[in-house]
Amino acid sequence: MGQSVRNQSTIGYIRETATKFLDRETAGGIFLIIATIVALLLANSQWAGAYHHFLGDELLFEFSEHLSFGLIIEEWINDGLMAIFFLVAGLELKREVMVGELSSIKKASAPLLAALGGMAVPALIFISLNLGTENIKGWGIPMATDIAYSLGIIGLLGKNVPRQLKTFLIALAIADDIGAILVIALFYSNELSWIYLGSGMGAFGLLLLMNWTGVKNLIWYIIIGIILWYCFLNSGIHPTIAGVLFAITIPIVPKLDSKKFKERTATNVTDLEKAELEKLNPLQDIKQRKILKAIKTDTENSRPPLLKLENSLVDFNAFFIIPVFAVANAGVKLDVNLIEVVSGSLGLGILLGLAIGKVTGIGIFTLIGQKLGVSELHITLNWKHIIGIGMIAGIGFTMSLFITNLAFNDQELIKISKISILIASLLAAIGGAVILLLTSNKGKKNIVK
């Protein structure tokens, strides 16, 4: 009975967190749009030199005369802050797998198939146009869906978009993130340092052991998590992967289960009723202060550590990390012929992959799932919704920019890639928004069967 109550309470916390996540990501998407505009203005203004010079400055931490650690600011953003971004993505994934849209095969099959198609078709389009060239390294660029940007656009459409479609997009984007994480880990890593990799896996093993033995204090996980990140930073595997591994180890079971919390709270309330509430306030009565502190502590201990960590980071992620990443990476100088950029094999591969490949892959794989009977969509969704959300999913941005930095060292190729990503994402956003607006309240009879 206690286990059932505890599980119900945990599920309640997770669902509440999921709702907050949707609202924050929608607002965060708007911040991301603003950050993108700021980056483009800086890169194409008289301050462009200072902007790029600042990103190349070293930020050094000296702990003693012989012990220091430093990275340039761009590395702190792309290797440090983005590790936290991937941590939050990992926590979201773990939550969705537990009780969200990925918690069962029936729920997960539709968005998983859509995500698979949305990754495979863009990659194939890019490869077909760039096979045998140095550009082939960028095949992973058009595979990504930017969850913040996508939800930001959906948020701007308001009630014109069914909530079930927003949920489908979140599940699709999270599944897409899994694919991006695997692609980065397997194909965009450098020469391995087995010493650091072994140390990192040792840290990961220790985190798993802490979870298994019932350690709930997040501070110990954070300390070992920083060691894990440092080891991966020097291992040859991109350090952002450490964020995902760290997320996997965070406990979901709270220190105090719901049954004990209820019993202790009832006792504390009874004790509080016996205090001189009408004569003294908590400042005057030490007994009241002790009881209130006990209730506060028990409330905190009844929250699952995973959700405590996610809730503490989700605002920081949406309103700081992602916009800062955009300011640092979207600043590309628009001093080239845009027609030439998007007509070359690299630019065209990215443009077609994101703007056309995404919606095509999502649509085809969703249809296959329906025809085979292995997945189903909510009754309120029709094919125009799927096409619209498929186009919205073509907003690659954050992950596409991130993979660009991993795929290329040539600044000209990076510039072409970034411009192509921006154009493709803009076209996808406009096209998807128009389709969803036209579909609003008109396509309910065309239910996906």
Side-chain angles (χ1 to χ4, degrees), residues 236-268:
I237 294 178
H238 202 273
T240 51
I241 303 302
V244 181
L245 295 178
F246 180 48
I248 292 172
T249 68
I250 303 301
I252 190 63
V253 179
K255 182 183 294 186
L256 185 66
D257 66 42
S258 297
K259 181 179 180 181
K260 290 182 180 178
F261 174 69
K262 178 182 178 181
E263 294 171 350
R264 292 171 64 141
T265 301
T267 301
N268 285 324

PDB file of all heavy atoms in Angstrom, residues 236-268:
ATOM      1  N   GLY A 236      38.194  12.408 -25.360  1.00  0.00           N
ATOM      2  CA  GLY A 236      38.010  12.280 -26.798  1.00  0.00           C
ATOM      3  C   GLY A 236      36.559  12.109 -27.184  1.00  0.00           C
ATOM      4  O   GLY A 236      36.174  12.308 -28.333  1.00  0.00           O
ATOM      5  N   ILE A 237      35.714  11.730 -26.211  1.00  0.00           N
ATOM      6  CA  ILE A 237      34.267  11.680 -26.409  1.00  0.00           C
ATOM      7  C   ILE A 237      33.710  13.022 -25.943  1.00  0.00           C
ATOM      8  O   ILE A 237      34.101  13.529 -24.889  1.00  0.00           O
ATOM      9  CB  ILE A 237      33.629  10.525 -25.622  1.00  0.00           C
ATOM     10  CG1 ILE A 237      34.119   9.194 -26.193  1.00  0.00           C
ATOM     11  CG2 ILE A 237      32.114  10.598 -25.673  1.00  0.00           C
ATOM     12  CD1 ILE A 237      33.584   7.984 -25.469  1.00  0.00           C
ATOM     13  N   HIS A 238      32.809  13.597 -26.715  1.00  0.00           N
ATOM     14  CA  HIS A 238      32.364  14.952 -26.387  1.00  0.00           C
ATOM     15  C   HIS A 238      31.791  15.010 -24.973  1.00  0.00           C
ATOM     16  O   HIS A 238      30.983  14.158 -24.573  1.00  0.00           O
ATOM     17  CB  HIS A 238      31.326  15.444 -27.401  1.00  0.00           C
ATOM     18  CG  HIS A 238      31.245  16.930 -27.433  1.00  0.00           C
ATOM     19  ND1 HIS A 238      30.438  17.646 -26.584  1.00  0.00           N
ATOM     20  CD2 HIS A 238      31.915  17.841 -28.175  1.00  0.00           C
ATOM     21  CE1 HIS A 238      30.594  18.941 -26.818  1.00  0.00           C
ATOM     22  NE2 HIS A 238      31.489  19.086 -27.778  1.00  0.00           N
ATOM     23  N   PRO A 239      32.194  16.014 -24.177  1.00  0.00           N
ATOM     24  CA  PRO A 239      31.815  16.071 -22.762  1.00  0.00           C
ATOM     25  C   PRO A 239      30.322  16.217 -22.511  1.00  0.00           C
ATOM     26  O   PRO A 239      29.857  15.946 -21.400  1.00  0.00           O
ATOM     27  CB  PRO A 239      32.586  17.293 -22.242  1.00  0.00           C
ATOM     28  CG  PRO A 239      32.876  18.118 -23.443  1.00  0.00           C
ATOM     29  CD  PRO A 239      33.087  17.131 -24.552  1.00  0.00           C
ATOM     30  N   THR A 240      29.558  16.657 -23.515  1.00  0.00           N
ATOM     31  CA  THR A 240      28.116  16.772 -23.308  1.00  0.00           C
ATOM     32  C   THR A 240      27.475  15.409 -23.053  1.00  0.00           C
ATOM     33  O   THR A 240      26.420  15.328 -22.415  1.00  0.00           O
ATOM     34  CB  THR A 240      27.448  17.429 -24.528  1.00  0.00           C
ATOM     35  OG1 THR A 240      27.855  16.744 -25.716  1.00  0.00           O
ATOM     36  CG2 THR A 240      27.847  18.883 -24.645  1.00  0.00           C
ATOM     37  N   ILE A 241      28.107  14.343 -23.538  1.00  0.00           N
ATOM     38  CA  ILE A 241      27.583  12.993 -23.300  1.00  0.00           C
ATOM     39  C   ILE A 241      27.585  12.690 -21.803  1.00  0.00           C
ATOM     40  O   ILE A 241      26.749  11.934 -21.302  1.00  0.00           O
ATOM     41  CB  ILE A 241      28.411  11.943 -24.063  1.00  0.00           C
ATOM     42  CG1 ILE A 241      28.427  12.277 -25.562  1.00  0.00           C
ATOM     43  CG2 ILE A 241      27.859  10.546 -23.838  1.00  0.00           C
ATOM     44  CD1 ILE A 241      27.064  12.353 -26.203  1.00  0.00           C
ATOM     45  N   ALA A 242      28.530  13.291 -21.079  1.00  0.00           N
ATOM     46  CA  ALA A 242      28.582  13.095 -19.625  1.00  0.00           C
ATOM     47  C   ALA A 242      27.296  13.581 -18.972  1.00  0.00           C
ATOM     48  O   ALA A 242      26.855  13.017 -17.963  1.00  0.00           O
ATOM     49  CB  ALA A 242      29.790  13.835 -19.042  1.00  0.00           C
ATOM     50  N   GLY A 243      26.695  14.642 -19.529  1.00  0.00           N
ATOM     51  CA  GLY A 243      25.441  15.153 -18.980  1.00  0.00           C
ATOM     52  C   GLY A 243      24.333  14.119 -19.049  1.00  0.00           C
ATOM     53  O   GLY A 243      23.537  13.961 -18.107  1.00  0.00           O
ATOM     54  N   VAL A 244      24.265  13.383 -20.153  1.00  0.00           N
ATOM     55  CA  VAL A 244      23.242  12.348 -20.317  1.00  0.00           C
ATOM     56  C   VAL A 244      23.499  11.186 -19.358  1.00  0.00           C
ATOM     57  O   VAL A 244      22.574  10.688 -18.700  1.00  0.00           O
ATOM     58  CB  VAL A 244      23.214  11.843 -21.767  1.00  0.00           C
ATOM     59  CG1 VAL A 244      22.134  10.782 -21.946  1.00  0.00           C
ATOM     60  CG2 VAL A 244      22.983  13.001 -22.730  1.00  0.00           C
ATOM     61  N   LEU A 245      24.748  10.744 -19.281  1.00  0.00           N
ATOM     62  CA  LEU A 245      25.086   9.646 -18.368  1.00  0.00           C
ATOM     63  C   LEU A 245      24.788  10.032 -16.925  1.00  0.00           C
ATOM     64  O   LEU A 245      24.286   9.219 -16.137  1.00  0.00           O
ATOM     65  CB  LEU A 245      26.568   9.279 -18.521  1.00  0.00           C
ATOM     66  CG  LEU A 245      26.985   8.699 -19.872  1.00  0.00           C
ATOM     67  CD1 LEU A 245      28.487   8.427 -19.892  1.00  0.00           C
ATOM     68  CD2 LEU A 245      26.214   7.425 -20.187  1.00  0.00           C
ATOM     69  N   PHE A 246      25.096  11.275 -16.578  1.00  0.00           N
ATOM     70  CA  PHE A 246      24.822  11.769 -15.228  1.00  0.00           C
ATOM     71  C   PHE A 246      23.322  11.707 -14.941  1.00  0.00           C
ATOM     72  O   PHE A 246      22.897  11.285 -13.858  1.00  0.00           O
ATOM     73  CB  PHE A 246      25.351  13.199 -15.106  1.00  0.00           C
ATOM     74  CG  PHE A 246      25.139  13.830 -13.758  1.00  0.00           C
ATOM     75  CD1 PHE A 246      25.456  13.155 -12.598  1.00  0.00           C
ATOM     76  CD2 PHE A 246      24.622  15.114 -13.656  1.00  0.00           C
ATOM     77  CE1 PHE A 246      25.278  13.738 -11.347  1.00  0.00           C
ATOM     78  CE2 PHE A 246      24.440  15.709 -12.421  1.00  0.00           C
ATOM     79  CZ  PHE A 246      24.765  15.017 -11.262  1.00  0.00           C
ATOM     80  N   ALA A 247      22.495  12.117 -15.908  1.00  0.00           N
ATOM     81  CA  ALA A 247      21.047  12.127 -15.718  1.00  0.00           C
ATOM     82  C   ALA A 247      20.505  10.732 -15.434  1.00  0.00           C
ATOM     83  O   ALA A 247      19.584  10.562 -14.623  1.00  0.00           O
ATOM     84  CB  ALA A 247      20.367  12.722 -16.959  1.00  0.00           C
ATOM     85  N   ILE A 248      21.085   9.739 -16.102  1.00  0.00           N
ATOM     86  CA  ILE A 248      20.625   8.356 -15.931  1.00  0.00           C
ATOM     87  C   ILE A 248      20.748   7.901 -14.483  1.00  0.00           C
ATOM     88  O   ILE A 248      19.934   7.104 -13.992  1.00  0.00           O
ATOM     89  CB  ILE A 248      21.426   7.420 -16.858  1.00  0.00           C
ATOM     90  CG1 ILE A 248      21.080   7.716 -18.320  1.00  0.00           C
ATOM     91  CG2 ILE A 248      21.160   5.946 -16.535  1.00  0.00           C
ATOM     92  CD1 ILE A 248      21.953   6.975 -19.318  1.00  0.00           C
ATOM     93  N   THR A 249      21.734   8.421 -13.775  1.00  0.00           N
ATOM     94  CA  THR A 249      22.033   7.926 -12.418  1.00  0.00           C
ATOM     95  C   THR A 249      21.229   8.620 -11.319  1.00  0.00           C
ATOM     96  O   THR A 249      21.267   8.170 -10.174  1.00  0.00           O
ATOM     97  CB  THR A 249      23.532   8.123 -12.102  1.00  0.00           C
ATOM     98  OG1 THR A 249      23.830   9.530 -11.995  1.00  0.00           O
ATOM     99  CG2 THR A 249      24.399   7.509 -13.182  1.00  0.00           C
ATOM    100  N   ILE A 250      20.531   9.701 -11.638  1.00  0.00           N
ATOM    101  CA  ILE A 250      19.828  10.460 -10.601  1.00  0.00           C
ATOM    102  C   ILE A 250      18.612   9.680 -10.105  1.00  0.00           C
ATOM    103  O   ILE A 250      17.784   9.237 -10.907  1.00  0.00           O
ATOM    104  CB  ILE A 250      19.390  11.839 -11.129  1.00  0.00           C
ATOM    105  CG1 ILE A 250      20.599  12.621 -11.630  1.00  0.00           C
ATOM    106  CG2 ILE A 250      18.658  12.628 -10.047  1.00  0.00           C
ATOM    107  CD1 ILE A 250      21.661  12.864 -10.583  1.00  0.00           C
ATOM    108  N   PRO A 251      18.460   9.495  -8.786  1.00  0.00           N
ATOM    109  CA  PRO A 251      17.357   8.692  -8.231  1.00  0.00           C
ATOM    110  C   PRO A 251      15.997   9.329  -8.501  1.00  0.00           C
ATOM    111  O   PRO A 251      15.852  10.555  -8.530  1.00  0.00           O
ATOM    112  CB  PRO A 251      17.662   8.663  -6.727  1.00  0.00           C
ATOM    113  CG  PRO A 251      19.073   9.084  -6.587  1.00  0.00           C
ATOM    114  CD  PRO A 251      19.368   9.986  -7.735  1.00  0.00           C
ATOM    115  N   ILE A 252      14.994   8.492  -8.679  1.00  0.00           N
ATOM    116  CA  ILE A 252      13.616   8.948  -8.838  1.00  0.00           C
ATOM    117  C   ILE A 252      12.821   8.734  -7.547  1.00  0.00           C
ATOM    118  O   ILE A 252      11.805   9.389  -7.309  1.00  0.00           O
ATOM    119  CB  ILE A 252      12.936   8.230 -10.026  1.00  0.00           C
ATOM    120  CG1 ILE A 252      11.591   8.879 -10.353  1.00  0.00           C
ATOM    121  CG2 ILE A 252      12.767   6.753  -9.755  1.00  0.00           C
ATOM    122  CD1 ILE A 252      11.654  10.302 -10.803  1.00  0.00           C
ATOM    123  N   VAL A 253      13.276   7.805  -6.702  1.00  0.00           N
ATOM    124  CA  VAL A 253      12.578   7.510  -5.443  1.00  0.00           C
ATOM    125  C   VAL A 253      12.990   8.532  -4.380  1.00  0.00           C
ATOM    126  O   VAL A 253      14.178   8.724  -4.134  1.00  0.00           O
ATOM    127  CB  VAL A 253      12.888   6.086  -4.958  1.00  0.00           C
ATOM    128  CG1 VAL A 253      12.185   5.802  -3.639  1.00  0.00           C
ATOM    129  CG2 VAL A 253      12.481   5.065  -6.010  1.00  0.00           C
ATOM    130  N   PRO A 254      12.036   9.212  -3.741  1.00  0.00           N
ATOM    131  CA  PRO A 254      12.380  10.225  -2.737  1.00  0.00           C
ATOM    132  C   PRO A 254      12.908   9.612  -1.449  1.00  0.00           C
ATOM    133  O   PRO A 254      12.734   8.417  -1.187  1.00  0.00           O
ATOM    134  CB  PRO A 254      11.051  10.942  -2.500  1.00  0.00           C
ATOM    135  CG  PRO A 254      10.007   9.923  -2.818  1.00  0.00           C
ATOM    136  CD  PRO A 254      10.582   9.091  -3.935  1.00  0.00           C
ATOM    137  N   LYS A 255      13.544  10.461  -0.664  1.00  0.00           N
ATOM    138  CA  LYS A 255      14.081  10.013   0.629  1.00  0.00           C
ATOM    139  C   LYS A 255      12.949   9.604   1.573  1.00  0.00           C
ATOM    140  O   LYS A 255      13.072   8.660   2.361  1.00  0.00           O
ATOM    141  CB  LYS A 255      14.904  11.136   1.261  1.00  0.00           C
ATOM    142  CG  LYS A 255      15.555  10.758   2.583  1.00  0.00           C
ATOM    143  CD  LYS A 255      16.303  11.943   3.191  1.00  0.00           C
ATOM    144  CE  LYS A 255      17.497  12.338   2.340  1.00  0.00           C
ATOM    145  NZ  LYS A 255      18.313  13.402   2.996  1.00  0.00           N
ATOM    146  N   LEU A 256      11.814  10.305   1.501  1.00  0.00           N
ATOM    147  CA  LEU A 256      10.674  10.049   2.388  1.00  0.00           C
ATOM    148  C   LEU A 256       9.468   9.697   1.530  1.00  0.00           C
ATOM    149  O   LEU A 256       9.008  10.517   0.734  1.00  0.00           O
ATOM    150  CB  LEU A 256      10.380  11.300   3.227  1.00  0.00           C
ATOM    151  CG  LEU A 256       9.299  11.194   4.309  1.00  0.00           C
ATOM    152  CD1 LEU A 256       9.751  10.232   5.407  1.00  0.00           C
ATOM    153  CD2 LEU A 256       9.018  12.566   4.907  1.00  0.00           C
ATOM    154  N   ASP A 257       8.952   8.454   1.672  1.00  0.00           N
ATOM    155  CA  ASP A 257       7.820   8.079   0.827  1.00  0.00           C
ATOM    156  C   ASP A 257       6.540   8.757   1.312  1.00  0.00           C
ATOM    157  O   ASP A 257       6.465   9.300   2.413  1.00  0.00           O
ATOM    158  CB  ASP A 257       7.662   6.564   0.739  1.00  0.00           C
ATOM    159  CG  ASP A 257       7.276   5.912   2.062  1.00  0.00           C
ATOM    160  OD1 ASP A 257       6.420   6.466   2.770  1.00  0.00           O
ATOM    161  OD2 ASP A 257       7.825   4.842   2.371  1.00  0.00           O
ATOM    162  N   SER A 258       5.507   8.699   0.485  1.00  0.00           N
ATOM    163  CA  SER A 258       4.288   9.463   0.744  1.00  0.00           C
ATOM    164  C   SER A 258       3.553   9.001   1.999  1.00  0.00           C
ATOM    165  O   SER A 258       2.947   9.806   2.705  1.00  0.00           O
ATOM    166  CB  SER A 258       3.359   9.363  -0.466  1.00  0.00           C
ATOM    167  OG  SER A 258       3.949   9.945  -1.597  1.00  0.00           O
ATOM    168  N   LYS A 259       3.593   7.704   2.276  1.00  0.00           N
ATOM    169  CA  LYS A 259       2.905   7.196   3.468  1.00  0.00           C
ATOM    170  C   LYS A 259       3.535   7.761   4.736  1.00  0.00           C
ATOM    171  O   LYS A 259       2.824   8.261   5.627  1.00  0.00           O
ATOM    172  CB  LYS A 259       2.957   5.671   3.491  1.00  0.00           C
ATOM    173  CG  LYS A 259       2.233   5.064   4.680  1.00  0.00           C
ATOM    174  CD  LYS A 259       2.294   3.548   4.658  1.00  0.00           C
ATOM    175  CE  LYS A 259       1.569   2.957   5.864  1.00  0.00           C
ATOM    176  NZ  LYS A 259       1.636   1.470   5.877  1.00  0.00           N
ATOM    177  N   LYS A 260       4.870   7.710   4.817  1.00  0.00           N
ATOM    178  CA  LYS A 260       5.542   8.255   5.995  1.00  0.00           C
ATOM    179  C   LYS A 260       5.367   9.770   6.073  1.00  0.00           C
ATOM    180  O   LYS A 260       5.215  10.335   7.157  1.00  0.00           O
ATOM    181  CB  LYS A 260       7.034   7.901   5.952  1.00  0.00           C
ATOM    182  CG  LYS A 260       7.326   6.430   6.183  1.00  0.00           C
ATOM    183  CD  LYS A 260       8.823   6.159   6.173  1.00  0.00           C
ATOM    184  CE  LYS A 260       9.117   4.676   6.396  1.00  0.00           C
ATOM    185  NZ  LYS A 260      10.583   4.396   6.351  1.00  0.00           N
ATOM    186  N   PHE A 261       5.397  10.422   4.904  1.00  0.00           N
ATOM    187  CA  PHE A 261       5.205  11.873   4.878  1.00  0.00           C
ATOM    188  C   PHE A 261       3.826  12.243   5.432  1.00  0.00           C
ATOM    189  O   PHE A 261       3.686  13.187   6.217  1.00  0.00           O
ATOM    190  CB  PHE A 261       5.356  12.387   3.449  1.00  0.00           C
ATOM    191  CG  PHE A 261       5.042  13.843   3.282  1.00  0.00           C
ATOM    192  CD1 PHE A 261       5.880  14.810   3.822  1.00  0.00           C
ATOM    193  CD2 PHE A 261       3.896  14.249   2.599  1.00  0.00           C
ATOM    194  CE1 PHE A 261       5.592  16.156   3.676  1.00  0.00           C
ATOM    195  CE2 PHE A 261       3.609  15.589   2.452  1.00  0.00           C
ATOM    196  CZ  PHE A 261       4.448  16.548   2.989  1.00  0.00           C
ATOM    197  N   LYS A 262       2.819  11.488   5.034  1.00  0.00           N
ATOM    198  CA  LYS A 262       1.461  11.742   5.523  1.00  0.00           C
ATOM    199  C   LYS A 262       1.389  11.557   7.033  1.00  0.00           C
ATOM    200  O   LYS A 262       0.805  12.387   7.747  1.00  0.00           O
ATOM    201  CB  LYS A 262       0.490  10.798   4.823  1.00  0.00           C
ATOM    202  CG  LYS A 262      -0.954  10.955   5.287  1.00  0.00           C
ATOM    203  CD  LYS A 262      -1.850   9.951   4.578  1.00  0.00           C
ATOM    204  CE  LYS A 262      -3.290  10.066   5.087  1.00  0.00           C
ATOM    205  NZ  LYS A 262      -4.189   9.080   4.425  1.00  0.00           N
ATOM    206  N   GLU A 263       1.983  10.458   7.533  1.00  0.00           N
ATOM    207  CA  GLU A 263       1.946  10.183   8.963  1.00  0.00           C
ATOM    208  C   GLU A 263       2.677  11.266   9.756  1.00  0.00           C
ATOM    209  O   GLU A 263       2.171  11.761  10.781  1.00  0.00           O
ATOM    210  CB  GLU A 263       2.566   8.814   9.241  1.00  0.00           C
ATOM    211  CG  GLU A 263       1.763   7.651   8.665  1.00  0.00           C
ATOM    212  CD  GLU A 263       2.497   6.331   8.767  1.00  0.00           C
ATOM    213  OE1 GLU A 263       3.717   6.353   9.118  1.00  0.00           O
ATOM    214  OE2 GLU A 263       1.885   5.279   8.494  1.00  0.00           O
ATOM    215  N   ARG A 264       3.864  11.652   9.280  1.00  0.00           N
ATOM    216  CA  ARG A 264       4.660  12.650   9.997  1.00  0.00           C
ATOM    217  C   ARG A 264       4.014  14.024   9.942  1.00  0.00           C
ATOM    218  O   ARG A 264       4.044  14.790  10.916  1.00  0.00           O
ATOM    219  CB  ARG A 264       6.078  12.685   9.421  1.00  0.00           C
ATOM    220  CG  ARG A 264       6.862  11.424   9.717  1.00  0.00           C
ATOM    221  CD  ARG A 264       8.163  11.349   8.973  1.00  0.00           C
ATOM    222  NE  ARG A 264       9.095  12.398   9.341  1.00  0.00           N
ATOM    223  CZ  ARG A 264      10.407  12.232   9.481  1.00  0.00           C
ATOM    224  NH1 ARG A 264      10.925  11.026   9.299  1.00  0.00           N
ATOM    225  NH2 ARG A 264      11.190  13.225   9.795  1.00  0.00           N
ATOM    226  N   THR A 265       3.401  14.341   8.806  1.00  0.00           N
ATOM    227  CA  THR A 265       2.744  15.634   8.683  1.00  0.00           C
ATOM    228  C   THR A 265       1.529  15.711   9.604  1.00  0.00           C
ATOM    229  O   THR A 265       1.283  16.744  10.243  1.00  0.00           O
ATOM    230  CB  THR A 265       2.307  15.879   7.223  1.00  0.00           C
ATOM    231  OG1 THR A 265       3.450  15.836   6.384  1.00  0.00           O
ATOM    232  CG2 THR A 265       1.631  17.238   7.080  1.00  0.00           C
ATOM    233  N   ALA A 266       0.769  14.601   9.671  1.00  0.00           N
ATOM    234  CA  ALA A 266      -0.394  14.565  10.568  1.00  0.00           C
ATOM    235  C   ALA A 266       0.037  14.777  12.020  1.00  0.00           C
ATOM    236  O   ALA A 266      -0.610  15.524  12.784  1.00  0.00           O
ATOM    237  CB  ALA A 266      -1.125  13.230  10.425  1.00  0.00           C
ATOM    238  N   THR A 267       1.142  14.132  12.408  1.00  0.00           N
ATOM    239  CA  THR A 267       1.660  14.303  13.773  1.00  0.00           C
ATOM    240  C   THR A 267       2.104  15.746  14.002  1.00  0.00           C
ATOM    241  O   THR A 267       1.803  16.339  15.057  1.00  0.00           O
ATOM    242  CB  THR A 267       2.849  13.352  14.005  1.00  0.00           C
ATOM    243  OG1 THR A 267       2.430  12.006  13.807  1.00  0.00           O
ATOM    244  CG2 THR A 267       3.402  13.524  15.414  1.00  0.00           C
ATOM    245  N   ASN A 268       2.806  16.314  13.031  1.00  0.00           N
ATOM    246  CA  ASN A 268       3.275  17.702  13.166  1.00  0.00           C
ATOM    247  C   ASN A 268       2.122  18.695  13.233  1.00  0.00           C
ATOM    248  O   ASN A 268       2.163  19.670  13.996  1.00  0.00           O
ATOM    249  CB  ASN A 268       4.190  18.059  11.997  1.00  0.00           C
ATOM    250  CG  ASN A 268       5.565  17.440  12.120  1.00  0.00           C
ATOM    251  OD1 ASN A 268       6.105  17.316  13.227  1.00  0.00           O
ATOM    252  ND2 ASN A 268       6.142  17.034  10.999  1.00  0.00           N
TER     253      ASN A 268
END
